[in-house]
Amino acid sequence: MGLEENLPSGILLTNLEKFVNYSRSASLWPATFGLACCAIEMMSMGGPRHDAARFGMEVFRASPRQADLMIVAGRVSNKMAPVLRRIYDQMSDPKWVLSMGVCATSGGMFNNYAIVQGVDHVVPVDMYVPGCPPRPEMLLDGILKLHAKIRGETFVEQGSK
Amino acid sequence: MEFLGPILFLLLVVVLVGIALNTTVLGRGMAMPLRQMLKKPSTSQYPEQPRPVTPRFHGRHQLNRYDDGLEKCIGCELCAWACPADAIYVQGANNTLEARWSPGERYAEDYQINYSRCILCGLCIEACPTRALTMTHDYEFSSDTRRGLVYTKDMLLAPAPEGAPDTPHRDKDVRERGHNYYGGKAVSPPGLHGGDHLPATARTMSRASQVLPMAPESEADWGDAPGREED
C-alpha cells in the first residue's frame, strides 16, 4: 500500500492494520462465480437457512469490480480458465479466492483433459474447501477460516500477493 | 349502553380488515409478511450452534480399531481400488512376531486420503471387508494449502480404546488374549509357526476344524450325467 513508509512505525499503524483488516473481513463481498453443482450449495449459503448476511457477505456482486472474494464453485474447464483469470484480474485489490469443492481444488474425480487440475493453476487460492459438493456449513467454515486469515494479514503481505 | 357503539365499530373494522386481507390480492400479499413475522426464524446459527447432521452423513473418514487396540485395517487396498477419484493411498506391510498391528498377515503401514480429491461418496466404506474404514460426522476440514488436505494415517486412525495399548502389539500378547477376530480364520504371518498357517489367535482353534469336509471330487462321482461329453 505504501502507507507504512510514510507513517511512523509502532502502535498507530498496527492498530490501523487491525482496523482495516477487521473491516475487510466483516464485509467480504463475494463475486458470483458458480460453475457447477457447488453453486447450488453456495446459493444455499446465501439464502435464509444459512444466511451469509450474518457475516456481512450476503451481497453477491454480479460485477467483479465490486467484489472482494471469488468463490470458485465448481469444476473449471480449460475453456473457462481464461475467463476466470480475466474476472480475477478485473476484481479490485484487495481480493481473495476461495476454491469451493474438490473439482476446483484439485480437479476432483475429473482427472481428464477437459478440467483444470486445481484452480490454483490459474489464480492464487487463499482457502480450499473440500467436499463434493461441500454442505453450506462446510463452506461457511472455510469462509470463517478465511476471515481469520484476513484479520491476521499485514499490509506488506497483501501488497506482495 | 353508550360504550356499545365503539365496540361495535371496532368489531366492524376488524371484520372488514379480515375480509380485505383474505379476499383481495393485495390483502393476501400483505397478510403473508404479517404471518411470517410471528414465525420462528429458520436460520441455523452455524458456528455457535451447528445443526446435527443425519446419522448416515458422509464426513471425514476414520480407521477403526478392535476393543483390544489392534487396527482393523489389513492393508488390502480394496478401498483404494474402489475409489472413483483415486484419493486413497495404502501401503501394506507384513505383521511380524515382534510387531503386530492387525490380526492376520498384513496391516496398513501407510494410509493416506487426499481430501482435495475425495468426493465423500462412501464407496471405500462399502468395499472395506473388515469395517476398518468408516465415516464420521466431521466436516470442518478446509485448509489454506493443498498439503493440509492430505490426511495421513495418524490423523485418520481412531485413538486406542480405554485401557488398550497402542499398536504395535507383540504377537504373543495377542495370542494370550485369545480373541476370535475373523471366525478364527485369520492366519498367522507365513513362516512364523512352521508355516502351518494356523489362526493368529489360538492354536487350539484350527482352521480345519471349522471347515466342513469337502465332497470327493473325482470323475467317478459325476456318473454318466447327460451332456457331460458335450462339455
Side-chain angles (χ1 to χ4, degrees):
Chain A
M1 296 218 3
L3 210 61
E4 61 274 8
E5 282 113 32
N6 301 325
L7 281 167
S9 63
I11 194 155
L12 168 72
L13 203 59
T14 48
N15 282 349
L16 180 69
E17 217 164 52
K18 271 183 194 160
F19 175 71
V20 169
N21 283 340
Y22 177 78
S23 317
R24 282 171 177 171
S25 67
S27 74
L28 197 66
W29 290 4
T32 51
F33 207 76
L35 291 172
C37 23
C38 279
I40 308 295
E41 301 292 314
M42 184 173 71
M43 284 186 267
S44 171
M45 188 272 293
R49 173 74 185 254
H50 299 283
D51 205 8
R54 293 181 291 143
F55 311 106
M57 49 187 304
E58 74 277 18
V59 273
F60 277 87
R61 290 285 112 169
S63 161
R65 308 218 184 266
Q66 298 165 353
D68 309 300
L69 169 69
M70 184 159 72
I71 303 179
V72 185
R75 56 197 145 64
V76 184
S77 62
N78 277 333
K79 206 164 183 176
M80 200 61 181
V83 181
L84 184 137
R85 179 72 214 193
R86 168 164 289 196
I87 288 178
Y88 176 77
D89 289 339
Q90 282 173 343
M91 284 164 66
S92 50
D93 272 326
K95 55 193 172 185
W96 295 271
V97 179
L98 186 140
S99 149
M100 180 183 179
V102 291
C103 299
T105 301
S106 73
M109 63 180 297
F110 300 113
N111 191 358
N112 59 33
Y113 63 89
I115 305 295
V116 176
Q117 296 297 304
V119 75
D120 49 5
H121 290 284
V122 188
V123 292
V125 176
D126 296 284
M127 188 58 68
Y128 299 93
V129 180
C132 184
R135 54 190 286 126
E137 282 101 334
M138 234 159 144
L139 177 60
L140 279 177
D141 171 55
I143 284 169
L144 291 175
K145 280 176 184 166
L146 183 63
H147 283 180
K149 196 179 165 183
I150 291 170
R151 280 176 202 168
E153 265 176 0
T154 61
F155 288 150
V156 184
E157 278 172 32
Q158 186 51 249
S160 64
K161 203 158 75 174
Chain B
M1 282 312 204
E2 66 269 14
F3 56 87
L4 204 63
I7 286 179
L8 279 176
F9 178 72
L10 268 177
L11 212 65
L12 188 70
V13 166
V14 166
V15 167
L16 281 179
V17 166
I19 291 171
L21 284 179
N22 276 302
T23 51
T24 62
V25 173
L26 182 70
R28 267 179 287 169
M30 301 280 268
M32 168 74 82
L34 288 178
R35 272 203 309 276
Q36 294 295 326
M37 278 165 72
L38 301 175
K39 283 188 180 169
K40 230 178 112 212
S42 66
T43 308
S44 92
Q45 303 295 319
Y46 161 63
E48 293 86 19
Q49 300 149 21
R51 292 197 179 192
V53 293
T54 49
R56 296 194 175 194
F57 176 72
H58 285 189
R60 192 176 62 76
H61 297 78
Q62 175 173 287
L63 286 170
N64 298 310
R65 291 176 190 259
Y66 290 103
D67 290 339
D68 60 353
L70 275 186
E71 293 164 18
K72 287 189 177 181
C73 181
I74 51 172
C76 67
E77 299 185 24
L78 279 180
C79 46
W81 278 86
C83 184
D86 266 353
I88 305 183
Y89 170 78
V90 188
Q91 176 68 57
N94 282 335
N95 284 312
T96 60
L97 274 182
E98 293 310 311
R100 174 176 280 287
W101 272 264
S102 68
E105 278 182 43
R106 305 266 285 169
Y107 74 101
E109 188 180 35
D110 193 6
Y111 196 102
Q112 295 177 11
I113 296 184
N114 183 357
Y115 281 105
S116 72
R117 290 257 177 211
C118 172
I119 59 171
L120 304 169
C121 61
L123 287 180
C124 44
I125 311 302
E126 286 182 35
C128 184
T130 61
R131 289 292 278 167
L133 194 64
T134 51
M135 278 170 151
T136 62
H137 288 178
D138 177 23
Y139 52 78
E140 295 170 328
F141 44 101
S142 345
S143 167
D144 58 350
T145 57
R146 276 168 80 153
R147 182 69 189 78
L149 291 174
V150 178
Y151 277 51
T152 48
K153 193 184 172 187
D154 51 323
M155 299 153 95
L156 294 166
L157 193 64
E162 201 66 40
D166 199 6
T167 43
H169 297 184
R170 281 170 63 229
D171 188 71
K172 193 166 156 283
D173 302 339
V174 176
R175 281 165 171 283
E176 278 165 6
R177 270 178 242 140
H179 285 304
N180 185 356
Y181 291 103
Y182 304 122
K185 286 178 184 171
V187 295
S188 303
L192 278 189
H193 309 286
D196 54 358
H197 276 222
L198 281 177
T201 49
R203 270 186 161 287
T204 50
M205 195 189 295
S206 86
R207 188 174 185 178
S209 68
Q210 294 194 345
V211 179
L212 290 172
M214 292 273 285
E217 201 174 359
S218 65
E219 198 68 302
D221 288 322
W222 286 96
D224 44 358
R228 178 77 179 144
E229 278 78 28
E230 281 79 6
D231 294 338

